[in-house]
């Protein structure tokens, strides 16, 4: 193996190791790019070992960053983030919780199913994992615990359903993936619709079965009023506004009326209108939403710039060739190679965030996947479903941390870990279904665009 590939391997190991230091990931990525450029120069000058990386090569980062920043796809990111944070403050979820709890509370597990339905709707409107988990925890967790739900089931439902926003479009993860893979955002959005709904449906089915087999952990709400026209009207008025917003954003993309960037603007404007109609569009709310949008966008783009520099140096050292040779050299068939990529991604998700895996690992393994003849839309969505588990798996399960921060003090972290285990299993079952039945991803884009 050439000396440069040893440096590439050391660069990968250094990144994984430094993640645990607590240093911001953007600084780690950019710093390693500079450090290993310096090491490559030392190899060239002092040890006379030829390595095709020097300061002139690394300076290409400026051009790469410029091409990233001028991408119209990424312009959609801050607007989708703004839409998510604003809808979090709109009061829509609170109204949905009240109406759905009244409708489903009379059956075992009904409250948890209501939380799951709200989570699916939030996923299709907010797409911000932290906001979804916290909002679901504040709205649903106290009600479930008050009605006698088991702490593990209650916390597991909130964590798992809250993570759907990373997959169900419009997802900021899919926007980033589309940019990294040079794929149409609309195709990725369409491809992720059924996998997202599949996972949501599996969660609800598990809750329903749990309610039947273990009614003490998911009891029905006592003293429920009869459902009349008024209750049905209130439920309709709670569901219709977010449903219309979802249709306006995704429908405009799917039917070719608007680009993803334009649709993001439609979503932001629609979120403003809904928040105004709910009477929650105040100066304080706007100040907080704009601040959080700026922070989140800055965080993502800082990592994006660092990852651009890191990936450039890693490729210059032959990292992509090393990974391709390693994967193709595995004693498995093409499906076995995909399985190994997903297994590695799943394990790395225990320690790394989805952003790092999307920006660094996905572009490195994608050429191998495409060379093996697999559909890039299918693989990218499959990769995204695998990344969703990283929010639930310890020790760096961000959904668990978000919930622990707002949960009652008597709920221990071990209880939350116990609660998410069944949902991790469900996610892996969903991953296997998508792995073996690619039509779950590819059928809808084929019907709409006739592509793939």
């Amino acid at each position: 193996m050439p000396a440069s590939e040893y440096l590439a391997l050391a660069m990968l190991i250094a990144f994984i190791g430094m993640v645990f230091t607590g240093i911001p990931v953007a600084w780690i990525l950019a710093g390693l790019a500079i450090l290993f450029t310096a090491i490559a120069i030392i190899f060239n000058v002092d040890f006379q070992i030829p390595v095709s990386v020097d300061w002139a090569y690394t300076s290409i980062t400026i051009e790469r960053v410029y091409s990233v920043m001028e991408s119209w796809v990424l312009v959609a990111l801050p607007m989708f983030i703004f839409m998510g944070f604003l809808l979090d403050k709109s009061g829509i979820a609170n109204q949905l919780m009240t109406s759905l709890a009244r409708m489903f509370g009379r059956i075992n597990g009904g409250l948890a199913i209501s939380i799951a339905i709200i989570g699916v709707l939030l996923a299709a409107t907010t797409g911000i994992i932290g906001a979804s988990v916290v909002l679901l925890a504040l709205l649903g967790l106290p009600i479930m615990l008050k009605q006698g739900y088991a702490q593990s089931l209650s916390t597991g439902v909130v964590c798992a359903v809250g993570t759907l926003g990373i997959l169900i479009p419009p997802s900021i993860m899919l926007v980033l993936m589309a940019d990294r893979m040079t794929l149409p955002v609309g195709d990725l959005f369409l491809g992720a619709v059924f996998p997202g709904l599949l996972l949501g449906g599996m969660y609800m089915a598990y809750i329903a079965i749990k309610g039947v087999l273990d009614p003490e952990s998911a009891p029905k709400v006592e003293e429920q009023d009869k459902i009349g026209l008024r209750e049905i009207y209130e439920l309709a008025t709670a569901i219709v506004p977010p449903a219309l917003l979802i249709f306006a954003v995704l429908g405009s993309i799917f039917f070719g009326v608007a680009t993803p960037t334009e649709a993001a603007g439609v979503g932001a404007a629609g979120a403003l209108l809904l928040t105004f109609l709910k009477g929650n569009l105040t100066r304080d709310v706007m100040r907080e939403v704009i601040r959080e949008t700026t922070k989140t966008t800055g965080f993502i783009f800082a990592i994006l710039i660092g990852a651009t520099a890191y990936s450039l140096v890693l490729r210059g050292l032959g990292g992509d060739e090393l990974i391709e040779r390693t994967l193709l050299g595995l004693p498995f068939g093409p499906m076995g190679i995909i399985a190994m990529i997903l297994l590695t991604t799943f394990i790395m998700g225990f320690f790394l965030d989805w952003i790092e895996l999307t920006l660094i690992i996905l572009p490195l393994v994608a050429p191998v996947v495409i060379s093996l003849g697999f559909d890039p839309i299918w693989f990218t969505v499959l990769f995204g479903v695998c990344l969703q588990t990283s929010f639930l798996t310890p020790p760096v399960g961000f959904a668990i941390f978000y919930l622990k921060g707002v949960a009652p003090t008597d709920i221990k972290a071990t209880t939350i870990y116990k609660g998410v285990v069944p949902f991790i299993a469900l996610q892996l079952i969903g991953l296997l279904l998508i792995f073996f039945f690619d039509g779950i991803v590819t059928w809808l884009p084929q019907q709409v665009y006739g592509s793939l």
Side-chain angles (χ1 to χ4, degrees):
M1 189 166 69
S4 61
E5 292 189 358
Y6 281 106
L7 287 179
L9 183 60
M11 195 174 180
L12 282 170
I13 295 173
F15 168 67
I16 296 173
M18 290 192 69
V19 166
F20 296 97
T21 64
I23 301 172
V25 174
W27 292 110
I28 292 174
L29 291 168
L32 287 175
I34 296 172
L35 174 63
F36 276 84
T37 299
I39 294 174
I41 292 173
I42 292 173
F43 270 53
N44 277 316
V45 176
D46 294 345
F47 299 106
Q48 302 300 311
I49 299 176
V51 178
S52 58
V53 171
D54 54 22
W55 293 122
Y57 173 83
T58 306
S59 67
I60 302 175
T61 300
I62 299 173
E63 298 177 11
R64 295 288 183 89
V65 170
Y66 179 79
S67 65
V68 168
M69 292 300 110
E70 70 174 358
S71 170
W72 281 103
V73 172
L74 295 181
V75 175
L77 272 180
M79 287 188 284
F80 278 136
I81 294 170
F82 175 82
M83 181 181 78
F85 279 120
L86 192 58
L87 287 173
D88 180 32
K89 305 293 182 182
S90 66
I92 290 175
N94 192 17
Q95 185 181 357
L96 276 170
M97 182 68 220
T98 303
S99 300
L100 288 172
R102 187 181 295 121
M103 295 288 291
F104 292 99
R106 62 189 67 245
I107 63 174
N108 290 100
L111 284 178
I113 292 175
S114 299
I115 294 294
I117 295 173
I118 294 171
V120 171
L121 289 173
L122 285 178
T125 51
T126 63
I128 309 296
I129 301 301
S132 295
V133 172
V134 170
L135 183 59
L136 290 173
L138 293 176
L139 288 177
L141 194 57
I143 298 176
M144 286 191 288
L145 295 177
K146 182 180 178 181
Q147 294 296 329
Y149 274 64
Q151 288 185 348
S152 58
L153 177 62
S154 302
T155 54
V157 169
V158 169
C159 282
V161 174
T163 64
L164 288 174
I166 204 65
L167 181 64
I168 295 179
S171 159
I172 59 175
M173 179 182 74
L174 295 179
V175 174
L176 274 179
M177 285 181 167
D179 178 72
R180 294 292 86 185
M181 297 283 289
T182 61
L183 293 172
V185 178
D187 280 359
L188 272 186
F189 279 3
L190 281 170
V193 168
F194 286 157
L197 295 179
L198 172 66
L199 289 177
M202 290 172 67
Y203 295 163
M204 295 179 205
Y206 167 75
I207 295 167
I209 294 172
K210 180 78 171 176
V212 172
L213 299 180
D214 186 12
E216 291 185 359
S217 66
K220 64 181 67 174
V221 178
E222 301 297 336
E223 299 180 359
Q224 280 277 20
D225 296 329
K226 291 184 178 180
I227 299 175
L229 292 177
R230 179 180 178 182
E231 286 73 24
I232 296 175
Y233 172 77
E234 290 177 353
L235 178 61
T237 56
I239 290 180
V240 168
L244 288 176
L245 181 60
I246 295 169
F247 179 78
V249 174
L250 299 182
S252 61
I253 297 174
F254 297 161
F255 295 112
V257 177
T259 65
T261 303
E262 294 166 343
V266 172
L272 279 170
L273 178 61
L274 289 181
T275 307
F276 172 76
L277 294 176
K278 292 290 182 182
N280 294 322
L281 190 62
T282 64
R283 180 177 297 180
D284 290 339
V285 166
M286 285 300 299
R287 183 184 295 113
E288 183 179 356
V289 167
I290 291 173
R291 183 187 296 114
E292 291 300 318
T293 300
T294 303
K295 286 170 57 179
T296 303
T297 304
F299 171 75
I300 292 175
F301 274 87
I303 295 178
L304 191 57
I305 293 172
T308 300
Y310 180 91
S311 300
L312 178 67
V313 175
L314 186 66
R315 288 179 183 275
L317 294 173
D320 53 346
E321 297 173 1
L322 173 63
I323 291 174
E324 182 175 358
R325 190 167 62 250
T326 301
L327 289 174
L328 294 177
L330 292 172
F332 311 119
M335 293 299 284
I337 293 175
I338 298 294
M340 285 302 301
I341 292 173
L342 295 176
L343 177 61
T344 304
T345 302
F346 176 73
I347 294 173
M348 293 181 73
F350 279 64
F351 312 103
L352 301 179
D353 190 20
W354 68 269
I355 299 178
E356 294 94 72
L357 293 171
T358 296
L359 297 179
I360 297 171
I361 304 301
L362 181 60
L364 289 176
V365 300
V368 177
V369 174
I370 295 173
S371 69
L372 291 172
F374 291 103
D375 187 277
I377 299 292
W378 169 77
F379 174 74
T380 305
V381 174
L382 192 66
F383 193 86
V385 174
C386 189
L387 288 187
Q388 189 187 354
T389 61
S390 68
F391 286 92
L392 300 179
T393 50
V396 192
F398 286 100
I400 296 172
F401 294 153
Y402 293 141
L403 177 58
K404 180 58 179 169
V406 296
T409 55
D410 63 322
I411 294 182
K412 299 179 181 179
T414 52
T415 301
I416 304 177
Y417 286 133
K418 178 183 176 182
V420 300
V421 168
F423 293 95
I424 294 175
L426 289 173
Q427 287 185 344
L428 293 178
I429 292 172
L431 187 69
L432 287 174
L433 289 174
I434 299 168
F435 181 81
F436 288 110
F437 303 99
D438 60 355
I440 297 174
V441 173
T442 59
W443 182 83
L444 191 57
Q446 287 175 344
Q447 299 305 307
V448 176
Y449 295 135
S451 59
L452 304 183

